[in-house]
Amino acid sequence: MATPLADGLPAGADRNSPAGDVCDLVWAWEALISRMAAGWPPSDWYEAAMYREDLENRDRLAAAVEALPADERAQAEAVVESLDAAFREGTADDGGRALAAALEGGSEGFASGPWYWRRCPVALPWETEE
């Protein structure tokens, strides 16, 4: 998946540093958004549990950005804001109901969590499996 925003972050960050964590997590968030925009290649399907993992990674991304030194945080925040806008464009707010139903669990935790937990892809990729 194309990840031009993640690729634009400073290269060479120690993978065990806060900057390295941010790079990895930005890449994962952007890869989800790119995959969603492209129609879920290569199989046109994406498991609900994998989508949940992507949202958990977004939780970790928020914490990782906060752990950055102030001089590095602004660039990371700008990248995340741009990715979040793209995520909003490809999703709809359903209060977390579609994901909760696919995971056979309640959406109460999703509704009280960060905004992205309440959003699902416009075309649900986990409903296309036969």
Side-chain angles (χ1 to χ4, degrees), residues 23-126:
C23 286
D24 290 345
L25 292 165
V26 164
W27 179 87
W29 189 232
E30 187 170 13
L32 166 69
I33 294 163
S34 294
R35 184 175 290 114
M36 185 169 46
W40 306 99
S43 62
D44 301 328
W45 181 82
Y46 201 71
E47 186 178 347
M50 292 175 5
Y51 185 78
R52 179 189 59 216
E53 289 174 17
D54 290 320
L55 298 180
E56 290 168 347
N57 282 333
R58 177 59 180 82
D59 288 342
R60 286 192 277 285
L61 175 58
V65 168
E66 285 300 313
L68 288 174
D71 61 329
E72 296 176 17
R73 192 175 311 133
Q75 180 185 12
E77 287 173 340
V79 168
V80 172
E81 287 174 16
S82 178
L83 291 172
D84 286 351
F87 182 78
R88 281 184 183 95
E89 288 178 22
T91 59
D93 188 337
D94 77 337
R97 288 183 295 279
L99 181 59
L103 297 172
E104 298 178 0
S107 63
E108 297 82 23
F110 299 159
S112 64
W115 63 269
Y116 42 87
W117 282 95
R118 295 186 297 273
R119 300 188 71 83
C120 67
V122 174
L124 298 177
W126 47 82

